[in-house]
Amino acid sequence: MRVAPIVKLTDDQREELEGWARGRSVEHRLVMRAKIVLLAAAGKKNQEIMAELRLSAPTVQRWRDRFVESGIEGIASDAPRSGRPRVIGPEKVKEVVEATMNSRPADATHWSTRTMAQAQGISKDTIRRIWHQHQLQPHRVETFKFSKDPKFFEKLEDVVGLYMNPPDKALVFSFDEKSQIQALDRTQLLLPIRPGIPARQTHDYKRNGTTTLFAALNVLEGTVISDCMKRHRHQEFLKFLNKLDQQTPADQELHLIMDNYATHKHAKVENWLTRHKRFHFHFVPTSSSWLNIVERFFSEITEKRIRRGTFKSVPDLIQAIDDYIKSHNKEPKAFVWTASAERIKAKIAKLKEIYAPGH
């Protein structure tokens, strides 16, 4: 069996490779090569590098060998290939990348391959290749919001601490309500799937009412305690807390992670907590629902059971939800939290450094 060569770096080599690995305008292939060499120099085996970077064994081996043989020059360029030589130089590639990230056409919100090709005087296929190499997707947009909670980091450390280091002899639940789930009935029968044709349903529907799903996800086990109710006021919240109290061992402390919905802080809820000392509420920062793991469960039940379902009544919808949760609880799978509070803080700081100055 071949043994991978040992990779050693000088200080200058390490500095240059780390610059490539972090570079936002560096070609994606060079970023990957730099990461391969840096991980190899850290003592990682090829199999570990493959798994971490999601690359093939020949790719990892090739650039590891190339660096050992020729240093940085060996990974900075590809080996000569047959065929027509490249006609677009690195300066033009850099110009396209910078224009894609820092400008937009006068009559549109984002660039297309055709508009960028016209602006740069090259073919749309070349633009597509450059975007693919640099992982640029100007047609896509994602939403975000920086939390303005003055206690953001305090709450972050509290919640993440419960996920990663839960207290002994206690249960940790991630809780939330999924409100206004509609019982939708299609106006015509579903057309079943056929070879080459997906299942089809009518675009119009009949509304048959709504329900609200209350759910507490056991962070350690992945099981869910749930209830469906007509509304989600403090009265329904208290009803669910009583159910949670009855269905958990009386000798264990209960830590509930939840959002800042006013119902959760109602005066009657506060009074209930004074009589149930084993319950402890932990609130995620405002605008940070991503910190509440139960949202992952809501996403799954929506995708797998609710969105494409047909329900002739609210009881039909509730029965479908209950059946799904019973099936889930027979073979539960915990949603494992892996990001430490420090790692999240560092990522937020980096994002604010990149985006905040322009807003």
Side-chain angles (χ1 to χ4, degrees):
M1 181 180 296
R2 181 182 180 187
V3 178
I6 297 174
V7 174
K8 295 183 179 180
L9 301 177
T10 65
D11 291 341
D12 290 342
Q13 288 175 330
R14 184 179 299 278
E15 183 178 354
E16 185 166 0
L17 289 172
E18 288 177 346
W20 286 8
R22 293 192 305 266
R24 294 179 59 82
S25 60
V26 179
E27 290 186 39
H28 179 63
R29 60 194 178 93
L30 295 182
V31 173
M32 285 297 103
R33 294 171 193 177
K35 289 181 177 180
I36 290 170
V37 174
L38 288 170
L39 290 173
K44 293 287 184 74
K45 297 179 179 178
N46 284 355
Q47 292 87 345
E48 295 173 311
I49 299 174
M50 289 161 50
E52 184 167 341
L53 300 181
R54 298 181 180 180
L55 298 172
S56 66
T59 298
V60 173
Q61 186 68 55
R62 179 189 307 120
W63 298 112
R64 183 175 193 142
D65 290 346
R66 192 80 66 82
F67 181 83
V68 171
E69 293 170 2
S70 307
I72 287 183
E73 293 76 11
I75 66 172
S77 60
D78 296 327
R81 297 181 181 180
S82 60
R84 190 180 68 176
R86 179 180 297 186
V87 296
I88 301 298
E91 290 301 320
K92 190 62 175 180
V93 171
K94 183 177 180 181
E95 186 179 341
V96 171
V97 171
E98 292 292 337
T100 305
M101 294 195 299
N102 300 318
S103 68
R104 61 183 180 183
D107 57 349
T109 59
H110 61 280
W111 293 103
S112 68
T113 54
R114 286 178 172 81
T115 56
M116 180 59 77
Q118 184 177 7
Q120 296 293 328
I122 55 181
S123 72
K124 61 183 179 60
D125 292 328
T126 301
I127 297 295
R128 184 178 292 108
R129 285 195 296 271
I130 294 172
W131 284 354
H132 178 73
Q133 290 171 354
H134 292 80
Q135 296 184 305
L136 294 173
Q137 300 176 320
H139 64 286
R140 295 184 59 194
V141 63
E142 295 180 350
T143 59
F144 81 99
K145 184 175 182 180
F146 290 122
S147 174
K148 295 183 179 180
D149 193 323
K151 296 185 177 180
F152 176 85
F153 291 115
E154 179 183 331
K155 293 178 180 179
L156 170 69
E157 292 175 353
D158 179 38
V159 172
V160 173
L162 287 171
Y163 288 149
M164 305 190 75
N165 297 292
D168 294 332
K169 297 181 181 180
L171 296 176
V172 178
F173 287 96
S174 173
F175 166 80
D176 202 1
E177 305 98 341
K178 183 173 178 60
S179 61
Q180 297 294 308
I181 307 174
Q182 296 192 68
L184 301 180
D185 185 15
R186 299 291 161 176
T187 58
Q188 297 178 22
L189 293 177
L190 175 76
L191 298 181
I193 187 172
R194 291 287 186 270
I197 303 175
R200 290 181 288 183
Q201 60 186 14
T202 59
H203 68 275
D204 55 340
Y205 47 79
K206 177 184 177 183
R207 292 187 175 95
N208 292 315
T210 63
T211 189
T212 293
L213 171 61
F214 288 71
L217 173 70
N218 186 314
V219 171
L220 185 61
E221 298 178 356
T223 54
V224 175
I225 296 175
S226 64
D227 203 352
C228 287
M229 305 185 206
K230 289 184 178 180
R231 303 174 69 178
H232 58 294
R233 305 166 300 172
H234 74 274
Q235 294 95 325
E236 287 77 19
F237 182 44
L238 287 172
K239 181 180 177 181
F240 184 78
L241 289 176
N242 284 320
K243 180 175 183 176
L244 198 60
D245 189 28
Q246 295 166 7
Q247 295 191 8
T248 53
D251 61 341
Q252 289 188 304
E253 299 286 302
L254 299 184
H255 295 265
L256 272 66
I257 298 168
M258 63 185 71
D259 62 25
N260 293 271
Y261 185 44
T263 292
H264 303 158
K265 302 178 180 181
H266 194 278
K268 291 186 177 180
V269 174
E270 297 288 346
N271 291 335
W272 187 92
L273 286 174
T274 61
R275 300 192 304 272
H276 297 77
K277 301 293 185 181
R278 73 191 189 105
F279 278 74
H280 308 277
F281 286 4
H282 303 263
F283 297 102
V284 301
T286 56
S287 305
S288 303
S289 59
W290 50 271
L291 266 174
N292 206 349
I293 287 183
V294 75
E295 298 291 347
R296 294 274 303 277
F297 173 75
F298 285 160
S299 177
E300 282 199 359
I301 193 173
T302 300
E303 183 64 29
K304 295 179 179 180
R305 189 61 189 91
I306 298 174
R307 179 170 293 143
R308 289 171 57 177
T310 299
F311 310 105
K312 296 185 179 299
S313 66
V314 171
D316 284 349
L317 171 61
I318 293 174
Q319 186 64 54
I321 292 172
D322 289 344
D323 290 345
Y324 179 89
I325 293 175
K326 287 177 183 177
S327 176
H328 168 87
N329 286 341
K330 288 179 181 177
E331 297 182 7
K333 184 178 180 181
F335 296 96
V336 180
W337 190 274
T338 59
S340 67
E342 293 305 317
R343 179 179 165 191
I344 296 172
K345 288 179 185 178
K347 186 172 183 179
I348 291 173
K350 184 176 181 180
L351 289 172
K352 286 187 174 180
E353 181 180 350
I354 295 171
Y355 296 113
H359 296 275

